[in-house]
Every structure is written in structure tokens, then in C-alpha cells.
Amino acid sequence: MDWGTDLWDQYDVIDKHTQSGLDLVDRYIKFVKERTEIEQNYAKQLRSLTKKYAKRGSKDEQDCKFSNHASFQEILNELNDYAGQRELIAENMMTAICVELTKYLQDIKQERKTHLSDAKKAQQTLESSLKHLESTKKRFAKEWAEADKATQQAEKTENDVNATKLDVEKAKQHAHARTHTAEECRNDYAAQLQKYNKEQNNFYYSEIPQIFNKLQDMDERRIRRLAEGYCQFSDIEKKVLPIISKCLEGISAAGGKIDEKQDSILFIEQHKSGFERPGDVEFEDYTQGIKPATSDSSLHPPKVRAKLWPFSKKHKPPPAEDFSHLPPEQRKKRLQAKIDDITKELQKTQDQSDALEKMKGVYEQNPQMGDPSSLEPQITETAQNIGRLRGELAKYETWLSEAVGGEESSNTINNNAQHSISSVVTADPSQNIYTEFDDEFDDIESPIGQCTALYTFEGNSEGTISITEGELLSVMEEDKGDGWMRVLRANGEEGYIPSSYVKLAP
């Protein structure tokens, strides 16, 4: 079954049907365009969402060391990749469906216009032939009527007894001429009728069927191309589904990687101070009154106990190069990290130095390859860097040794708070006696020796004091093997300092 055979007389219906098909293609193109806009807006909103919740900055980076924070960042990254796939879907739909179908629609519109124009031309040709046939037929009818009239007139004249022979002859000649003309018109009409019938037969059995069949073929091709466009609507998204699945699997994997116990351990490691818990508060007996100071107190001012409380809120000291402003555990970690960084940089610089020395040797053996003296500035600079790094490494290793060695002393300091001046001191010129109000009522300790500070020490951590180079100090507690000793300054300030920073008096 085909349009040319079964719909030979349905030109208007075919016209409307093919136009409806083109309108459907146009509607589908618009539909896909709107779908791509939805995908693009969706992807844009997803990217904005991930950007909004993504962590940035040093504090956020610190949080991302915890698995639950890091997993959330991985989820955001996966969602950002997912948004990229939605953008890819929109881009491919626009290219493969909208753009291609739009081009195809323009071509098929032109093809339909050509076929319909050919049908109209064939129709106009047939109608023109029919008009010519009708004209020939009318002329034949007119001429035949005139010939019949002339023939009857000739017969009448011939039968008229009053008519002369000449009149009869003229009437016969006129009738003969009219009949001859009528015969010619009859032949023209017959020829034109035959021609028209042939053209009509060709029109209805050949031309129109061929044109309608071409329109049918065009419409079926349109349907097939539209069907492919329908399938592409699904296939384009199917192609990115594996990647989308990986994104979703990545999100699930990020959730599965969370280790709550490890996060707790990491939190402890980050913030463990290393301090011991405070000891019991001693009983302060105010019933014993004021005690006179010993004779040694004239040389060494009295002291009171300093309350050390690791959990109390206090102003953070300014950062020190040796990280002494940090709690013991954090200080050791920072010092060790600094040592590791310097070691890596030192190894890198050492490798660079070795390479320069080798290159210098090659230049010395093969002067044509280069001038050995041109490497001297780099070699000198590298050697200076090595010396500087070794000095820094030794300095930080010393501080680390002090931090490790002083840990026990720091704990002792926290458990047994030191003394400081907290009372009004009155001096009697005749007796040179200090009178004190000690909140702990502890006995005044006597120095066990004297020492001189070799270096300046900034005592930023709790329990330590600051000293300056050349300062004379009283030794209150000697080094017990932990690298620290307790001293008393002339201003009454007492605390721990590194034993290596002073020289004991003979």
C-alpha cells in the first residue's frame, strides 16, 4: 500500500499530514532545548552548592584531617563531577539532537516544498489541457451546427423551383465548406481529447502517484529520523551513566571510609598538651600568724607558690621560635616536624651540591663543555645554605632534646606549683628582717649554689622563667638528669631553666 495508489485524490490531506509531521519535529527540538536548559541550570545549582559547602582556609584544612570532614569534602568533589556529567548531557543533546534535527528539518521542509510544487504544476498543466479541450469541443460544436445549418439551406435551395442553378451551386459550396471546417474541428477535438486523456491518465497513474510516493518516502524518513532522535534522548544519558555511577559509588565510598575511632585518636594527638593533672590544693593555715624570716632571706627575697592550671583561660604568649609557647606534647611534634623539613631541605641542597661538584669535575676534564669557574658562585651559595641548614638543624635538635628531657620536669612543675612573692615585705634597718605573708605557709628554701647565665633564655612555657646572658642566679634545685634546674633571680622570680644555659660557680 502506498500513498500514490490509495491516496491519489487526497492532495490536501497529504499536505496537512506532512506539515503536521514537520511541526512535530519542530516541537521535539524545542522540547529537547528546554530539557538542556533544565540540565544546565541543575548543574549550575549543583556547582554553586558544592562551592558553598566546600571548606577553604587553614582552619578548614585542619578539620579535613578528620575522616568525617574529609569524607564530606570527597562527597562535594564527587557531586561537582556529577554536575559536570549533567552539563555533558546537555551539551550532547544540544549538539546531537537539536542542532542536527534543525538542519534535517530545514532540508526536509525544502524537499516537501519541491514535491508539493511539482504536484501543483502537474495539476495546472492538466487543467490547462482540459481548458484547451473544452475550447476545441465548443468550437467543434459551433462549426458542426453551422455546417448542419448550411447543408439544410443547400437542400432547401436545391428543392426551391425558383432558385437558379447558380444559387443552388453557391449553397452547396457554402455547405461543403462549412462541413469541411466542421470536420477539421471534429478532428482537432478528437486529437485534443486523446491528448488530454493521455495526460490525465499520466497525471493520475504516474505523475501524482510518483510525487505522493516521494512525499510518503520523505515522511517515513522523517519518522525514522525522529525515532532516532527519541532514542538519542535516552542513549546520550546512558553513555554517562557509568561515570555518574562512579560518582555515586564515590559518595558511598566516602561515607564508608569514615573511622570514628581514628578521628578521636587524631583529635587527641592534635590537642594533647602533655601536662599532668593538678595536684591537691594544700591546706592554708592562717592561725599560725606571721613568721620571721631567716637570715638567708635578707639575701634572697621571699616567694609564694604560683598556681599552675592547664585548663584555665589565659592570654596566649606570642609564638616563639623554639615553640616553647606550646604545651609539651605539641611542642615536641612541632619541633620534630621542623627537624624533618630541615632534614629534607638539607638533603636536597646536599644533592644539589654533589651535582655541582660532579659538573665542575666534568668541566675540569673537558674544558670545551664549560668553564669550571662559572660554577663557583653556585657552589659557594650551596655550601652556605648547607651550613645554615646544619646550624638550624642543630638548634632545633637541641630544643627537641630539651623538650623531651624537660617533660618530666614540666610535669613536676605542674604537680608541685612554684613559689612567688605575694605579700608586703617590711624591712627593719637594724635587723634587716623580711616579714612575709605566704599563702601556703611554706618554709623558705636556701640556695644550694650560685651560677652564671651563659645564654639568654625566654621562659614562655609554664614553670619556666626568662634569664639574660651574664646574669647571676641562685641555684635552688640542681639538675636531676632531665636537663632542667630551678633557680632564683635577684628580683625574687623563681622557675626552671635549661641546665646547659648556665655555668655553676666553683
Side-chain angles (χ1 to χ4, degrees):
M1 299 177 67
D2 55 58
W3 292 6
T5 303
D6 300 300
L7 301 177
W8 62 270
D9 56 346
Q10 299 296 325
Y11 173 88
D12 292 338
V13 173
I14 291 175
D15 185 1
K16 290 180 181 179
H17 178 74
T18 52
Q19 182 59 50
S20 174
L22 298 184
D23 292 342
L24 178 60
V25 175
D26 188 56
R27 284 181 62 207
Y28 182 64
I29 292 172
K30 291 178 180 178
F31 163 74
V32 176
K33 281 184 179 179
E34 290 192 22
R35 163 70 189 277
T36 60
E37 291 173 1
I38 291 172
E39 291 288 355
Q40 288 169 345
N41 291 332
Y42 178 45
K44 183 179 180 181
Q45 290 177 358
L46 286 179
R47 289 194 183 279
S48 297
L49 182 66
T50 56
K51 185 177 180 181
K52 177 181 177 182
Y53 284 91
K55 287 194 171 185
R56 293 179 294 276
S58 57
K59 181 181 182 301
D60 294 334
E61 291 176 1
Q62 183 74 13
D63 287 342
C64 285
K65 292 181 180 179
F66 297 101
S67 63
N68 57 108
H69 286 266
S71 291
F72 182 54
Q73 295 307 306
E74 288 184 25
I75 289 172
L76 294 177
N77 292 336
E78 293 291 352
L79 191 60
N80 195 56
D81 293 342
Y82 176 86
Q85 297 308 309
R86 305 314 306 187
E87 289 174 339
L88 184 60
I89 289 173
E91 181 181 345
N92 290 343
M93 282 188 174
M94 181 60 72
T95 303
I97 298 179
C98 296
V99 174
E100 293 300 323
L101 270 184
T102 300
K103 292 179 181 177
Y104 179 76
L105 182 60
Q106 296 301 322
D107 294 340
I108 206 170
K109 278 183 177 179
Q110 185 60 43
E111 182 181 353
R112 173 180 176 276
K113 183 178 179 181
T114 301
H115 293 326
L116 293 178
S117 178
D118 290 343
K120 284 184 177 181
K121 286 179 181 179
Q123 181 70 31
Q124 289 172 357
T125 301
L126 184 63
E127 289 175 355
S128 177
S129 181
L130 179 61
K131 287 180 180 179
H132 187 58
L133 174 63
E134 291 295 333
S135 176
T136 305
K137 180 181 177 182
K138 287 180 181 178
R139 185 165 175 254
F140 165 62
K142 180 181 177 183
E143 291 296 332
W144 186 256
E146 290 293 333
D148 186 53
K149 183 178 178 182
T151 301
Q152 290 178 2
Q153 185 64 36
E155 289 178 354
K156 184 178 179 181
T157 302
E158 185 179 4
N159 294 328
D160 187 2
V161 291
N162 296 323
T164 63
K165 187 176 181 180
L166 181 61
D167 291 336
V168 173
E169 190 64 30
K170 281 183 178 181
K172 286 184 178 181
Q173 287 180 356
H174 179 68
H176 180 73
R178 283 292 181 181
T179 302
H180 179 71
T181 302
E183 286 293 335
E184 287 180 351
C185 289
R186 180 178 180 279
N187 293 336
D188 288 342
Y189 168 62
Q192 187 60 35
L193 180 62
Q194 185 178 7
K195 179 184 177 184
Y196 174 76
N197 286 335
K198 183 178 180 182
E199 289 177 354
Q200 180 178 251
N201 185 75
N202 183 62
F203 176 80
Y204 287 113
Y205 287 92
S206 180
E207 282 188 292
I208 285 298
Q210 288 179 5
I211 293 173
F212 284 5
N213 285 340
K214 287 179 181 179
L215 285 168
Q216 180 183 358
D217 178 67
M218 178 207 73
D219 194 61
E220 289 176 355
R221 282 187 283 111
R222 174 197 61 80
I223 295 172
R224 175 46 47 201
R225 182 65 184 85
L226 188 58
E228 292 173 0
Y230 290 167
C231 294
Q232 283 179 309
F233 189 78
S234 171
D235 294 341
I236 287 172
E237 187 162 356
K238 284 181 180 178
K239 287 180 180 178
V240 300
L241 280 180
I243 302 177
I244 289 177
S245 296
K246 286 185 179 179
C247 293
L248 298 176
E249 289 171 4
I251 291 174
S252 298
K257 287 194 297 186
I258 294 176
D259 187 340
E260 62 276 12
K261 295 296 183 183
Q262 185 60 36
D263 282 0
S264 294
I265 293 171
L266 179 59
F267 179 69
I268 292 171
E269 290 178 350
Q270 285 184 355
H271 301 285
K272 182 179 179 182
S273 67
F275 291 123
E276 290 291 334
R277 293 176 177 82
D280 294 340
V281 178
E282 296 180 5
F283 175 73
E284 301 179 6
D285 191 354
Y286 289 95
T287 62
Q288 296 182 8
I290 302 174
K291 298 186 296 180
T294 62
S295 59
D296 290 338
S297 66
S298 61
L299 298 177
H300 304 288
K303 54 185 177 59
V304 296
R305 186 180 305 278
K307 301 293 190 296
L308 299 181
W309 183 244
F311 308 110
S312 63
K313 293 183 179 179
K314 56 183 180 295
H315 295 292
K316 293 184 179 179
E321 185 183 5
D322 61 353
F323 304 111
S324 57
H325 61 288
L326 297 175
E329 283 292 328
Q330 302 303 316
R331 184 189 182 198
K332 286 189 291 183
K333 288 182 180 180
R334 293 291 294 274
L335 288 171
Q336 186 61 56
K338 190 70 176 178
I339 289 172
D340 293 341
D341 291 341
I342 295 174
T343 302
K344 291 178 182 178
E345 187 176 356
L346 180 59
Q347 182 61 45
K348 182 179 177 181
T349 309
Q350 187 65 53
D351 293 341
Q352 183 180 358
S353 177
D354 294 343
L356 288 171
E357 290 293 342
K358 289 181 180 179
M359 188 179 295
K360 181 180 178 182
V362 173
Y363 285 178
E364 289 174 348
Q365 294 178 3
N366 303 283
Q368 68 275 11
M369 295 183 67
D371 183 9
S373 61
S374 64
L375 300 175
E376 286 299 333
Q378 297 181 48
I379 293 175
T380 302
E381 182 183 356
T382 306
Q384 291 175 352
N385 289 337
I386 290 175
R388 176 181 59 80
L389 291 171
R390 284 177 176 170
E392 289 186 5
L393 183 62
K395 179 174 65 175
Y396 280 99
E397 285 178 342
T398 301
W399 285 337
L400 179 61
S401 177
E402 293 171 0
V404 174
E407 182 178 0
E408 184 179 348
S409 297
S410 298
N411 296 337
T412 305
I413 292 168
N414 287 310
N415 286 328
N416 304 305
Q418 303 305 306
H419 302 283
S420 62
I421 299 173
S422 64
S423 61
V424 178
V425 179
T426 58
D428 187 337
S430 62
Q431 298 181 3
N432 193 22
I433 298 174
Y434 286 100
T435 303
E436 62 178 41
F437 296 90
D438 189 343
D439 15 37
E440 304 285 339
F441 296 98
D442 289 342
D443 294 333
I444 301 175
E445 298 180 60
S446 300
I448 60 176
Q450 301 289 326
C451 64
T452 304
L454 298 176
Y455 314 102
T456 298
F457 172 70
E458 298 292 338
N460 292 323
S461 59
E462 297 197 32
T464 64
I465 61 171
S466 300
I467 59 174
T468 58
E469 183 180 351
E471 183 179 358
L472 183 63
L473 307 165
S474 297
V475 180
M476 306 303 292
E477 183 180 322
E478 63 183 3
D479 186 353
K480 295 182 179 180
D482 57 8
W484 294 82
M485 62 190 303
R486 184 158 57 90
V487 298
L488 176 69
R489 300 182 71 185
N491 61 3
E493 188 178 3
E494 185 177 345
Y496 284 86
I497 62 170
S499 304
S500 59
Y501 276 54
V502 297
K503 180 180 179 182
L504 296 174

